[in-house]
Amino acid sequence: MKSIFLKLLITTTFCLLGSLTWAADKYCQKSPQSKTYDIHIFGYTYKDMNAKKHMARGLSDLFSGIAVGDRVKVYNHNATGYNLTLDQCAPGCPETSFFENLISTSCSTEVAKRDRKIFNQRFAEAAMGDLNRNNASYNIFKSIQDLNDVYKGERTNNIVAVAISMIPDGINPTDPNAFNKFFVTNVPNLNIALQFPPVCTIGTSPNSEVLKFWREVFDLKHVKFDFKPCNKE
Amino acid sequence: MKRVFFLIALVISLSTYAQEKNNSDGQFRELYPKAVAGDANAMFILGKIYLEGTSSAGKDTGKGLNFIQKAAFAGNVLAIKYLIDSNERSGSGGALDLCQRLQKMGDKYCASKMDGLVEKSIPKTASASSCKKVGDLYDSGNQGAVVKAEVMNCVLQGLATTAPSEEAMSYLRSQANTDSKAFLRLMPYMLKSGSPDWDPLYVEENLPKVGLNFKDPQVKEIFAKNGITFEGCRKTERLRKDTLRQRPSVCRMAAKSGDEEAALYVGESYLGGKDYFPDEPSEASTYIKEVLNSKNPALASDAFILLLDLYRKQIKFHDHFALVSKEIKRNSPNSKAALASFSFEANYMQKNHPSMALDDIQSIVDIADVNDVAQSVKSLVGKTIDEIIKDRGRMMRAVERDSLLDYKKRLLTQKDLDEIEAVRQAAMAKTADTKVTAEGNLPKKLEAVAEKKEPTLLERLLK
């Protein structure tokens, strides 16, 4: 009796996993209009509550711009590396005319709505999963290098969105002397090789000192990184 | 309220202190990208910040110097000057090249330093490259004493044509009158056999005048290279007109520089006035004494004998006796020669004992008692003792007299005693003869008695 139950359980699990995989791919569209989003989240670089909120708002804005059928890949970065926590196309039935809708049987609006709900939830979990909650220290240069290492200099047509504070650990972003000191003690010994695809940023500190600092660093390293926010065209 | 103000003031002063401590951070940050981009001025200032440790990066001499060197390489005048000063302080080379660079840029910072730098940087032995370097300096207007001297030296060695060789020699001679380094440079030309400027006598006369010593290592090195040795002295012809005065000079300089064979030869020559050395015993003594303590026993022994001869010749009793007694007492290899020469003391005492100190007399008598002293010398000393006692009489203490009489017994043989007795008898007879002349022919009788005297036991045994 037990073995029959176990067999049934395994079969059900495989069917469910198969249907989920199918569900993940079934909304993907191969039209030229559809986009792929690479969303990199460096949650551990946010220590300040306001900054965290700012980032959440930025992600929310980005999310609202994701169209049905767009592929979304969420990379959750942490101190040791990264996890691809979400790789799914945004659920929803493509817009069709009333008659097309009557004839077509491939997309059920009801099912799509339900899948969208699950998708939204999973995105939220992925986005907020690795926020810095215990004030752990971090190395901002390593974060930048990690982002670089995902692409290793390869070109991509994906929209690369990066949620990162860009504030060096322990630095008050409004204190120019703190940045001076950080620069003096870190930059001359900095050994990073960067070659990014074009990226836009989410939740990055808008402080002029932060921007100035990174402009200087990227100029030194001959890196194009223009801090374009993702929610602005 | 006052407390609040005090606290505010304290906080402000502390924060100012903290800012001052790292007050170069802002400057560092501003300059670093420029320095990396190749801005020489930024590199220099950044280098100084690293060297002085005024930024949060702390003191880092390696990085500091690296930036300053790069700045200097890029032509930053301040960086070049900084490195010149730094090299000068540490005594390392490189300052000269930097100064040359600075001069080419039209800067006169090194004008007063050039001579000192050349002195430190140019190798002792001139080479084609070092001559080219000083030649360039000279041509670019650096004509200070050192640079000029180096250039003239190069001309004389045929490594440069900056000036005619006659001018170079004349310049070197004029410098050599007061400057020991110039004199050292001049020496090889004056000592090289066959050279038109060959003049060892000039070197001998002037070397001490410029503060040099014949035993200075540099001087000895030049001597060795130019035949100022006993071998060189030996090879120089004695009778050639042009070497009559120069040859003794070669030999003397070799001797003064420590060549013992040369010293012995020079001493001997002065002693006898030979080989165109004047007869000057005092000069001879100076040279012979140099060899007296030679590690070469043969040379030391020769010197000893020569010195004894010299003292004998000069009748320097005290010097002679000091030398002789020292060698006899320590039973050195020279003691045989000393003993052989001891007759000088014995004869001297015989002739001069009235004017001699009793201590000297006793010392001579002590030595005369040594076994290896010839019996004839012992006898002479023993016979003199009687005269000394007779002469000094009651001025001598009983102990001294007894001691001398004891020595007399030890030194004289029976034959000596018999002779003394005979002389005494003869003297007595003479006195009696004088007395009896008035009384009759008694002296003749006494003579007969003396002639018929029985031989002593020792004489009989010897026969």
Side-chain angles (χ1 to χ4, degrees):
Chain A
M1 186 64 180
K2 264 186 183 174
S3 65
I4 293 169
F5 178 73
L6 197 65
K7 277 178 188 168
L8 199 66
L9 189 71
I10 291 166
T11 314
T12 316
T13 310
F14 273 106
C15 287
L16 210 66
L17 278 172
S19 73
L20 273 173
T21 315
W22 172 79
D25 293 340
K26 73 177 179 180
Y27 298 108
C28 294
Q29 291 186 1
K30 288 176 182 171
S31 72
Q33 286 81 22
S34 65
K35 300 167 185 168
T36 298
Y37 289 87
D38 287 356
I39 303 171
H40 295 270
I41 300 172
F42 293 84
Y44 63 88
T45 66
Y46 294 92
K47 285 185 173 177
D48 178 65
M49 185 49 75
N50 276 339
K52 285 174 189 171
K53 282 180 187 170
H54 188 60
M55 179 200 77
R57 205 175 301 129
L59 281 172
S60 177
D61 288 349
L62 177 75
F63 190 71
S64 62
I66 293 170
V68 169
D70 285 348
R71 190 173 175 187
V72 178
K73 292 161 88 175
V74 177
Y75 295 83
N76 241 297
H77 292 260
N78 53 44
T80 54
Y82 67 85
N83 300 313
L84 183 60
T85 47
L86 183 68
D87 183 3
Q88 194 176 339
C89 293
C93 294
E95 282 183 17
T96 51
S97 66
F98 176 74
F99 291 106
E100 278 175 334
N101 204 16
L102 281 178
I103 298 162
S104 168
T105 53
S106 62
C107 184
S108 156
T109 314
E110 286 306 311
V111 174
K113 271 186 181 173
R114 188 198 67 202
D115 286 346
R116 179 74 193 202
K117 213 172 173 179
I118 295 167
F119 173 75
N120 290 355
Q121 199 178 335
R122 289 181 68 186
F123 181 81
E125 280 170 11
M128 294 297 151
D130 273 337
L131 278 178
N132 195 333
R133 291 193 176 84
N134 49 5
N135 211 26
S137 59
Y138 61 90
N139 180 346
I140 195 70
F141 293 121
K142 185 181 180 303
S143 308
I144 301 290
Q145 184 69 60
D146 285 349
L147 174 64
N148 180 78
D149 292 348
V150 174
Y151 297 98
K152 292 177 180 137
E154 285 176 14
R155 292 181 66 86
T156 177
N157 291 322
N158 300 353
I159 294 166
V160 182
V162 188
I164 185 165
S165 75
M166 295 302 271
I167 299 172
D169 188 27
I171 298 293
N172 174 1
T174 60
D175 179 5
N177 287 333
F179 271 101
N180 287 345
K181 188 176 177 181
F182 186 76
F183 185 99
V184 170
T185 50
N186 287 278
V187 175
N189 306 319
L190 189 59
N191 188 19
I192 52 173
L194 303 173
Q195 200 178 2
F196 287 120
V199 296
C200 63
T201 56
I202 296 163
T204 296
S205 170
N207 191 288
S208 60
E209 286 298 332
V210 177
L211 298 181
K212 185 182 163 214
F213 173 79
W214 285 107
R215 261 192 213 108
E216 286 170 7
V217 173
F218 289 137
D219 280 352
L220 269 171
K221 299 291 168 190
H222 309 291
V223 178
K224 194 174 173 342
F225 192 107
D226 49 15
F227 290 93
K228 188 180 128 191
C230 294
N231 54 1
K232 283 183 187 166
E233 283 302 319
Chain B
M1 190 66 177
K2 270 184 185 172
R3 243 185 222 176
V4 173
F5 276 127
F6 174 74
L7 281 173
I8 291 169
L10 186 69
V11 168
I12 290 170
S13 62
L14 281 174
S15 66
T16 313
Y17 169 75
Q19 275 183 350
E20 274 175 4
K21 194 187 170 208
N22 297 323
N23 64 359
S24 297
D25 281 356
Q27 198 184 14
F28 184 110
R29 184 177 168 190
E30 190 191 330
L31 294 170
Y32 186 78
K34 291 180 186 170
V36 171
D39 182 324
N41 194 42
M43 285 193 267
F44 172 64
I45 301 170
L46 201 63
K48 283 199 80 180
I49 291 173
Y50 267 123
L51 285 177
E52 289 161 10
T54 51
S55 77
S56 297
K59 193 171 180 170
D60 190 328
T61 313
K63 280 184 183 171
L65 279 177
N66 190 29
F67 271 115
I68 291 177
Q69 274 161 355
K70 281 181 182 170
F73 186 73
N76 184 274
V77 172
L78 290 173
I80 296 172
K81 286 178 183 175
Y82 182 91
L83 288 177
I84 288 168
D85 290 346
S86 167
N87 282 333
E88 259 195 306
R89 275 196 302 275
S90 66
S92 61
L96 185 61
D97 290 335
L98 288 164
C99 270
Q100 269 185 287
R101 233 180 111 199
L102 212 54
Q103 281 195 328
K104 278 177 191 163
M105 290 161 80
D107 196 295
K108 295 196 185 309
Y109 184 69
C110 288
S112 61
K113 296 173 187 276
M114 231 41 180
D115 261 10
L117 291 175
V118 168
E119 204 164 9
K120 279 182 196 165
S121 316
I122 298 295
K124 261 203 302 186
T125 313
S127 64
S129 64
S130 72
C131 285
K132 189 186 176 311
K133 201 166 195 173
V134 288
D136 288 348
L137 283 167
Y138 188 79
D139 291 340
S140 61
N142 296 295
Q143 299 191 355
V146 175
V147 177
K148 195 168 179 182
E150 289 292 341
V151 167
M152 295 307 170
N153 188 35
C154 290
V155 170
L156 289 172
Q157 293 195 30
L159 294 166
T161 53
T162 319
S165 59
E166 294 78 19
E167 187 192 328
M169 180 51 80
S170 160
Y171 178 79
L172 197 55
R173 268 182 181 264
S174 69
Q175 292 292 301
N177 285 334
T178 50
D179 178 11
S180 61
K181 281 174 188 159
F183 194 88
L184 286 169
R185 270 201 295 269
L186 179 68
M187 276 171 66
Y189 302 105
M190 309 297 274
L191 299 177
K192 196 176 179 183
S193 182
S195 140
D197 300 300
W198 187 69
D199 193 353
L201 199 57
Y202 171 87
V203 174
E204 191 191 10
E205 284 171 358
N206 291 285
L207 189 141
K209 288 181 189 168
V210 291
L212 291 169
N213 188 295
F214 288 96
K215 285 184 176 165
D216 285 343
Q218 289 165 296
V219 172
K220 286 174 81 170
E221 195 184 328
I222 295 170
F223 279 0
K225 280 182 185 166
N226 293 282
I228 307 300
T229 55
F230 181 55
E231 191 60 16
C233 153
R234 205 176 55 76
K235 280 183 181 169
T236 313
E237 279 192 47
R238 287 181 294 176
L239 302 175
R240 257 177 66 182
K241 201 178 170 187
D242 55 341
T243 59
L244 282 183
R245 289 181 67 234
Q246 299 289 6
R247 186 180 170 279
S249 177
V250 170
C251 305
R252 272 194 305 267
M253 284 196 286
K256 286 174 188 173
S257 70
D259 188 321
E260 291 175 337
E261 278 185 284
L264 203 59
Y265 165 73
V266 171
E268 195 176 4
S269 301
Y270 269 122
L271 196 58
K274 63 174 185 179
D275 292 348
Y276 295 94
F277 281 86
D279 186 357
E280 281 182 20
S282 62
E283 280 292 304
S285 150
T286 311
Y287 288 95
I288 296 167
K289 276 181 187 171
E290 286 281 315
V291 197
L292 204 56
N293 296 317
S294 169
K295 285 177 184 166
N296 181 337
L299 286 179
S301 172
D302 286 353
F304 179 74
I305 292 164
L306 275 178
L307 204 58
L308 288 179
D309 282 352
L310 175 67
Y311 289 150
R312 252 200 315 270
K313 199 174 173 187
Q314 292 178 295
I315 317 175
K316 284 191 169 178
F317 162 74
H318 284 104
D319 290 334
H320 189 278
F321 185 49
L323 205 58
V324 164
S325 63
K326 187 176 142 197
E327 298 299 316
I328 292 174
K329 279 176 189 169
R330 67 179 183 151
N331 198 21
S332 74
N334 289 328
S335 60
K336 269 191 181 173
L339 286 165
S341 185
F342 184 62
S343 59
F344 171 72
E345 275 74 20
N347 283 310
Y348 184 88
M349 189 171 80
Q350 189 200 23
K351 286 174 194 162
N352 302 289
H353 66 84
S355 60
M356 284 173 72
L358 190 60
D359 284 349
D360 288 339
I361 292 170
Q362 280 170 331
S363 300
I364 291 174
V365 173
D366 278 345
I367 290 187
D369 192 37
V370 171
N371 284 342
D372 296 334
V373 174
Q375 183 53 50
S376 59
V377 177
K378 283 179 190 254
S379 300
L380 182 59
V381 173
K383 284 172 188 171
T384 311
I385 287 174
D386 257 352
E387 290 171 33
I388 292 166
I389 292 171
K390 202 186 291 173
D391 179 52
R392 303 205 175 203
R394 294 196 178 279
M395 285 168 72
M396 289 174 81
R397 281 183 286 178
V399 183
E400 292 164 346
R401 194 169 47 244
D402 292 347
S403 164
L404 283 180
L405 287 170
D406 192 34
Y407 266 125
K408 182 188 150 190
K409 276 183 200 164
R410 293 159 64 101
L411 294 172
L412 293 176
T413 58
Q414 188 57 50
K415 190 182 169 193
D416 296 330
L417 291 170
D418 290 348
E419 276 173 21
I420 292 168
E421 184 56 29
V423 171
R424 198 178 63 82
Q425 294 278 346
M428 276 178 70
K430 200 175 177 184
T431 316
D433 193 28
T434 318
K435 269 186 178 178
V436 178
T437 310
E439 297 168 13
N441 286 333
L442 198 60
K444 279 183 183 173
K445 284 179 187 172
L446 279 171
E447 267 172 36
V449 171
E451 275 167 13
K452 280 181 186 173
K453 197 187 169 199
E454 285 292 310
T456 63
L457 178 66
L458 188 69
E459 277 173 338
R460 267 182 277 157
L461 283 171
L462 282 170
K463 277 175 187 173

